[in-house]
Amino acid sequence: MAESGPGFGARLRARLSGHMQLLTLAVVPVFWLGTRIGMVADVSIWTLLGVLFTAQWTTAIAYALWPGRQSGWRLFLRVGIQQWSILLVMYAIGWGPTLAIGLLVGVADNLRESGSKATLPALVWSVAGIAVGQLAIAAGVAPSLVPEPLVHGLSVLASMGVGFTILLLGWTTAEKEAAEREVRASEERFRALVQHSSDVTMVVDADGDLTYASPAFERVLGYDLAEELGSKAGQLMHDDDREALARSAVASSEFAPHHTGRAELRLRDATGRWRWFDASVTNLLEDPAVHGIVANLRDIDERVADRRALAEANARFRSAFEDAPIGMALADLDGHLFRVNTSMANLLGYEAEDLLGVHVSQITDPQDRDSSGSEMRRLAAGEIDAYRLEKRYVHADGHSIWTSLSVSLVRSSDGEPLYQIGQIEDITERRAISEQLTHAAIHDPLTGLPNRTLLTDRLGLALERARRNGGQIGVIFLDLDRFKFVNDSLGHVTGDELLKILGDRLRTAMRPSDTVARFGGDEFVVLCEGMEGTAAIMDVAERVADVIASPVSVAGQEIFVTASLGVAVSSQGPARAENLLRDADAAMYQAKDLGRARVVLFDEAARIQAVHHVQTGTELHHAVERGELDVYYQPMVALDTGLVTGFEALVRWAHPVGGVVKPSEFIPLAEETGLIVPIGLWVLEEACRQIVCWQRMRNGCKPLSISVNLSARQLAEPTLPDELENILTRTKVDPRTVVLELTESALIGDTESASRSLHALCDRGVQIAVDDFGTGYSSLAHLRRFPIRALKVDQTFVDGLGVEPEDTSIVTAVVSLAHSLGLEAVAEGLETPQQLAALRTIGCDFAQGYLFGRPQPARALGDRPADDLQAWQPADC
Ligand code: C2E
Ligand code: MG
Ligand code: MG
């Protein structure tokens, strides 16, 4: 490899111009003097000069040829040339081994030039040279000022001295080289570290000028280092940080030499962005190797961003926690609260600090401690990560608060459970509402009694218990008799009041374990558990009937109500709630059919009758469609003349299997189902058409009237007046001959539309008669409100005429009432001549009854109904 640096000539010149050459020049006169005084062997001065300069030049050439850190043969040769040059001089002047010290000059020169590698050649050449020199003396070739054999002994000593000294110098040089190598290695290591370090190292002098920056300066900050060197380093720093740094220890007197200060600061990078660094600043101004303040800057931009994000997240959490509208709390895994927000504290009526350290169980309602505690233990054990439950806490003032609680477990980054976080929402109000709703869903709003749903449920449970424990269950189905009358005549408010009072009575009359429920309308059901035998249940039912039957005082008046009760008793075998209810219901219907105000124990016959009742309803639908209905006519007779003045139209059902069915058997059903509306209109049209027909045949006779019954349900139909108008138009009947019979209750029905309808009917010219008068609750005021033509005294009063003084008085009173109001009086259900006589005495105007004739179909009367009663005698309905 070619040597770099100056060439051969330059090296030779440099070598020859050195101080060694001056030394050589100085030696020449010394040698000359030495020869004069016999201190140097007798050699000509020119020879000496020649030897000296040859030695000097040869050595200089060898160094110029193979300079520096040579090795191998070149080094060996160069060392040899120099040592032999010195040896030549030593032996030429006759001093031989006594000048061996001169060899060390050459050794030192070689060691300096090539290092410890020169040790061996120096040793070899020096010792060998002395040996050759001694041989030359011995051979008489070389002069010697020291006599023989002394000179040989000296040469041995000189060899040893030179040898050891060479070795010593060699070792010293080797050590120095090792130390230098170490320094170099460490420098290189340092350089490599600095080179590759991501930390920026900057050195600033006492004036603040940048004197050094590590390569990371360019990499991290993006500047061109060459441009920045010499500029003020502080310019790179953020104003705030510079001021902060100026105030900090780094700028104070404490920042003494070799002291280090730390700070976090921002430096602007080449793009203009501020980057965060962790700076470690050391004052090395007095260190001669540095002469500056060294700043080691670690890029912590990401860390600061993370820290800020964390701080922001913490702040967000803190504010979300503190300002949360719902209660929030942190508790350790044992359940001790260590952080509580204001909402939570407010919820529980404490100050937040008072709750710190409190165990959750201390503020939990005792009833919920178990459930809440077991969930918490599972969470703390890491079995679950979260749970939700509705639980009660105890408020500071002692009352319980219903809350919805959700708790989740917070784990460390390595999954270890740390603590729990709970969110608590006050649901006391919601619970109350939902309890109210639940209560409302299973209770009757009017009486507060359980409703059908709750009773059915309880009945199911009771049956289950009875199956396990024995005992019987009684179900009493209770329906108030003629409650509709009360409602229609005294108003719904009174009706409701009555139901409430009866509900209360029933509740207090029964055992707490029994259930009294209202099934809607005027129906109540009593459920009795643990009964022994049917007789015991029947006793209870009788007692219930008595409770209902005792007079009730509502709104200042006494009302008497009775009830029809059906009783069903659970059998030994499995029973279903709905079957038991159905049976009790069927028995109740039977009680109604048997004349109301009684208790009937369910038997199979009752069930069949109930089934029949349902079937009838279905069949009635078909009856209307199939034209199975018929109209019968019963004459009405003027008592003063004995002549027929008109007819009452009475509907019949010609059942294809059961024969003629009376209205009492299907009219209530038709009213229940609403079928009465089309049936009633059909009867009205049929009757009008018939009377027009008869009238036409009687040509010129006094017009006959036709009375048609109208149920309250029909009156409630807003279309009734128009329908009537149509019928009147279609049949061309004289409206004045049409009498619509309404019961007292229908008449005084308090609905607006009923009243409007009634007036609309009167406007069309038809007449109104009050049917079954005396059985309802109408008042004189009601009677005066409408254009009524007649009052029909109910059959029940007519029955006792002439027999029961009370009935005679009632009929007398009704007739005189009618007359005093300017109305006609009609007696219904006249059966005996005695009754007829009594009516005549009383002064009743008209009568109808079996005595004059039973209702008959028009076809049975032939073409022409006689004015007298002959035509009616044989016929029957
Ligand atoms: P109501 O309007 O009071 O009719 C008189 C009832 O007394 C009729 O019964 C009639 O047959 C019966 N009757 C007449 N004379 C005597 C007698 O001397 N002795 C006895 N024991 N009874 C007598 P019916 O036909 O069974 O009708 C019963 C009730 O059905 C009627 O009572 C009426 O309220 C209702 N009704 C009948 N047809 C209709 C109709 O087309 N529409 C409406 N809404 N109701 C009707
Ligand atoms: Mg009638
Ligand atoms: Mg009647």
Side-chain angles (χ1 to χ4, degrees):
M1 200 170 137
E3 288 284 340
S4 57
F8 172 79
R11 283 200 298 268
L12 186 64
R13 268 193 306 280
R15 182 86 199 173
L16 289 174
S17 60
H19 53 273
M20 283 296 287
Q21 271 52 49
L22 295 174
L23 202 69
T24 314
L25 286 175
V27 164
V28 174
V30 173
F31 278 4
W32 181 78
L33 267 177
T35 53
R36 294 289 116 199
I37 59 173
M39 294 270 295
V40 172
D42 191 16
V43 184
S44 83
I45 187 69
W46 298 111
T47 308
L48 278 176
L49 274 174
V51 168
L52 266 174
F53 282 96
T54 304
Q56 189 179 5
W57 274 84
T58 324
T59 304
I61 289 167
Y63 271 99
L65 270 176
W66 307 302
R69 307 217 154 254
Q70 290 295 334
S71 58
W73 65 269
R74 288 188 185 85
L75 175 65
F76 216 79
L77 199 60
R78 194 190 73 203
V79 175
I81 290 169
Q82 190 169 11
Q83 293 307 93
W84 277 82
S85 302
I86 295 166
L87 283 162
L88 195 65
V89 175
M90 280 162 54
Y91 282 91
I93 63 171
W95 283 103
T98 54
L99 283 184
I101 190 131
L103 286 171
L104 294 180
V105 176
V107 172
D109 206 12
N110 273 298
L111 286 175
R112 186 179 52 78
E113 184 75 10
S114 298
S116 58
K117 281 179 290 182
T119 310
L120 186 63
L123 184 69
V124 171
W125 284 124
S126 302
V127 175
I130 291 173
V132 171
Q134 290 308 121
L135 285 174
I137 291 171
V141 178
S144 178
L145 293 176
V146 183
E148 286 182 270
L150 188 62
V151 73
H152 297 302
L154 272 174
S155 76
V156 173
L157 286 174
S159 297
M160 284 171 65
V162 166
F164 283 127
T165 309
I166 290 173
L167 282 175
L168 212 60
L169 285 172
W171 288 334
T172 312
T173 309
E175 269 173 21
K176 208 175 114 205
E177 282 171 356
E180 277 172 7
R181 263 201 310 281
E182 182 55 36
V183 169
R184 246 193 332 274
S186 118
E187 274 176 359
E188 268 159 24
R189 221 173 17 250
F190 170 75
R191 201 169 302 118
L193 283 174
V194 168
Q195 192 78 26
H196 298 107
S197 168
S198 56
D199 291 359
V200 180
T201 305
M202 289 163 75
V203 181
V204 178
D205 64 14
D207 297 332
D209 294 338
L210 182 66
T211 56
Y212 168 82
S214 66
F217 178 83
E218 292 190 327
R219 267 204 315 278
V220 175
L221 292 168
Y223 291 112
D224 182 350
L225 179 57
E227 283 175 19
E228 297 302 320
L229 280 176
S231 64
K232 294 284 179 208
Q235 288 174 354
L236 297 176
M237 209 185 299
H238 194 279
D239 290 348
D240 297 349
D241 298 334
R242 200 169 39 238
E243 284 163 24
L245 207 64
R247 287 193 300 272
S248 76
V250 172
S252 76
S253 56
E254 287 170 33
F255 195 48
H258 297 285
H259 275 223
T260 300
R262 290 194 69 150
E264 282 187 2
L265 48 84
R266 280 157 289 180
L267 296 183
R268 194 182 25 229
D269 66 14
T271 64
R273 197 168 85 82
W274 291 106
R275 298 184 73 90
W276 276 100
F277 290 89
D278 178 12
S280 158
V281 187
T282 311
N283 182 353
L284 295 179
L285 280 168
E286 292 183 7
D287 185 328
V290 182
H291 276 307
I293 292 172
V294 179
N296 194 57
L297 301 153
R298 172 152 300 168
D299 186 354
I300 53 164
D301 209 49
E302 267 180 36
R303 205 204 303 162
V304 170
D306 288 352
R307 204 167 57 199
R308 286 191 160 186
L310 190 67
E312 275 168 27
N314 274 340
R316 268 202 302 275
F317 172 77
R318 211 175 10 256
S319 101
F321 183 88
E322 282 308 328
D323 306 337
I326 57 165
M328 289 184 83
L330 304 182
D332 62 19
L333 295 176
D334 291 340
H336 291 99
L337 301 172
F338 63 86
R339 197 157 164 188
V340 170
N341 76 349
T342 317
S343 299
M344 167 88 174
N346 292 344
L347 183 80
L348 296 175
Y350 290 95
E351 289 298 321
E353 302 81 65
D354 298 343
L355 288 169
L356 300 182
V358 168
H359 195 273
V360 172
S361 65
Q362 287 172 257
I363 47 169
T364 299
D365 188 293
Q367 296 179 66
D368 294 334
R369 269 183 206 154
D370 286 350
S371 58
S372 158
S374 77
E375 286 292 299
M376 200 162 74
R377 277 190 293 279
R378 289 179 61 208
L379 187 87
E383 289 172 27
I384 48 171
D385 273 343
Y387 67 84
R388 277 185 87 99
L389 57 86
E390 291 194 354
K391 66 175 273 193
R392 280 158 290 186
Y393 283 100
V394 186
H395 189 271
D397 66 14
H399 77 269
S400 282
I401 310 156
W402 266 108
T403 64
S404 164
L405 168 74
S406 22
V407 182
S408 3
L409 184 66
V410 179
R411 293 175 184 273
S412 66
S413 54
D414 50 3
E416 275 301 299
L418 290 178
Y419 58 91
Q420 32 185 333
I421 180 162
Q423 299 184 4
I424 303 108
E425 208 175 340
D426 186 352
I427 54 160
T428 311
E429 214 166 293
R430 199 179 80 199
R431 280 286 293 215
I433 292 170
S434 102
E435 271 166 19
Q436 268 170 22
L437 286 176
T438 313
H439 186 271
I442 54 174
H443 286 85
D444 166 49
L446 179 67
T447 59
L449 293 173
N451 65 7
R452 179 190 292 267
T453 313
L454 183 55
L455 181 110
T456 314
D457 191 51
R458 286 198 187 163
L459 180 55
L461 294 172
L463 285 169
E464 190 64 29
R465 273 195 294 276
R467 201 167 51 78
R468 282 198 310 269
N469 310 333
Q472 279 181 298
I473 287 167
V475 174
I476 302 166
F477 209 111
L478 181 160
D479 188 283
L480 298 181
D481 296 329
R482 297 179 196 278
F483 177 70
K484 198 172 168 328
F485 279 123
V486 179
N487 239 356
D488 288 347
S489 50
L490 300 179
H492 287 288
V493 177
T494 310
D496 285 354
E497 195 54 34
L498 178 69
L499 286 172
K500 268 201 268 186
I501 294 171
L502 293 179
D504 283 346
R505 273 192 192 174
L506 285 173
R507 189 163 34 205
T508 42
M510 303 310 295
R511 297 175 304 177
S513 58
D514 298 333
T515 300
V516 177
R518 182 176 170 221
F519 258 39
D522 55 355
E523 289 176 345
F524 293 87
V525 173
V526 179
L527 160 66
C528 309
E529 263 193 88
M531 304 301 290
E532 294 297 337
T534 307
I537 297 170
M538 288 303 280
D539 282 350
V540 174
E542 292 292 351
R543 205 172 74 229
V544 168
D546 291 345
V547 163
I548 298 291
S550 54
V552 183
S553 140
V554 184
Q557 41 189 317
E558 275 212 323
I559 302 176
F560 291 85
V561 267
T562 56
S564 303
L565 289 86
V567 179
V569 182
S570 68
S571 54
Q572 292 307 320
R576 292 179 58 184
E578 53 269 43
N579 291 355
L580 215 54
L581 277 168
R582 182 200 62 199
D583 292 350
D585 190 25
M588 184 275 291
Y589 267 106
Q590 209 179 23
K592 289 264 181 213
D593 285 346
L594 290 172
R596 304 184 173 98
R598 67 196 65 219
V599 180
V600 170
L601 178 66
F602 170 79
D603 62 12
E604 206 44 32
R607 201 178 70 78
I608 291 167
Q609 196 175 332
V611 171
H612 174 70
H613 186 76
V614 174
Q615 274 173 354
T616 311
T618 320
E619 285 175 359
L620 189 58
H621 263 97
H622 299 309
V624 180
E625 292 159 14
R626 291 174 192 155
E628 290 171 6
L629 299 180
D630 205 352
V631 182
Y632 278 40
Y633 297 90
Q634 186 178 37
M636 298 174 73
V637 176
L639 291 181
D640 54 350
T641 61
L643 292 176
V644 175
T645 56
F647 299 90
E648 177 170 6
L650 296 158
V651 71
R652 294 290 181 272
W653 179 9
H655 193 278
V657 183
V660 176
V661 185
K662 284 191 158 195
S664 56
E665 287 177 43
F666 68 90
I667 289 289
L669 200 66
E671 283 177 335
E672 239 175 68
T673 55
L675 272 174
I676 193 67
V677 176
I679 291 176
L681 288 174
W682 178 80
V683 171
L684 180 65
E685 181 150 6
E686 200 59 32
C688 290
R689 186 162 288 128
Q690 188 59 58
I691 206 72
V692 168
C693 175
W694 279 334
Q695 196 64 45
R696 209 174 288 142
M697 284 189 281
R698 282 160 42 93
N699 202 6
C701 294
K702 205 168 167 243
L704 291 168
S705 69
I706 180 74
S707 298
V708 180
N709 294 287
L710 204 68
S711 88
R713 178 79 190 256
Q714 283 177 271
L715 205 59
E717 284 294 306
T719 54
L720 180 67
D722 292 343
E723 298 279 11
L724 175 81
E725 180 80 58
N726 292 341
I727 290 171
L728 294 178
T729 314
R730 277 202 296 272
T731 57
K732 298 190 178 65
V733 70
D734 179 356
R736 287 165 304 169
T737 62
V738 178
V739 181
L740 298 176
E741 291 191 6
L742 286 150
T743 58
E744 284 174 275
S745 51
L747 194 66
I748 60 165
D750 58 354
T751 59
E752 272 291 302
S753 72
S755 168
R756 262 202 312 276
S757 277
L758 219 50
H759 279 284
L761 295 178
C762 292
D763 290 347
R764 305 270 190 304
V766 299
Q767 312 280 325
I768 306 285
V770 182
D771 208 350
D772 305 339
F773 190 78
T775 57
Y777 296 88
S778 62
S779 66
L780 289 179
H782 283 122
L783 297 180
R784 285 174 60 81
R785 278 226 315 262
F786 304 106
I788 293 166
R789 169 176 155 172
L791 295 185
K792 293 184 81 173
V793 186
D794 192 69
Q795 186 185 338
T796 46
F797 308 119
V798 176
D799 274 351
L801 258 186
V803 188
E804 298 286 338
E806 276 180 14
D807 286 348
T808 311
S809 316
I810 290 173
V811 177
T812 310
V814 173
V815 170
S816 58
L817 171 70
H819 288 165
S820 62
L821 289 170
L823 311 177
E824 292 167 351
V826 184
E828 291 184 294
L830 189 68
E831 290 182 349
T832 64
Q834 288 90 334
Q835 292 166 343
L836 178 61
L839 283 176
R840 283 204 164 120
T841 313
I842 290 167
C844 185
D845 306 297
F846 301 92
Q848 70 184 86
Y850 293 169
L851 186 68
F852 299 137
R854 288 175 179 259
Q856 290 189 64
R859 57 186 175 277
L861 294 169
D863 292 335
R864 190 164 181 252
D867 285 356
D868 60 34
L869 300 166
Q870 294 309 310
W872 302 93
Q873 295 311 321
D876 203 350
C877 53

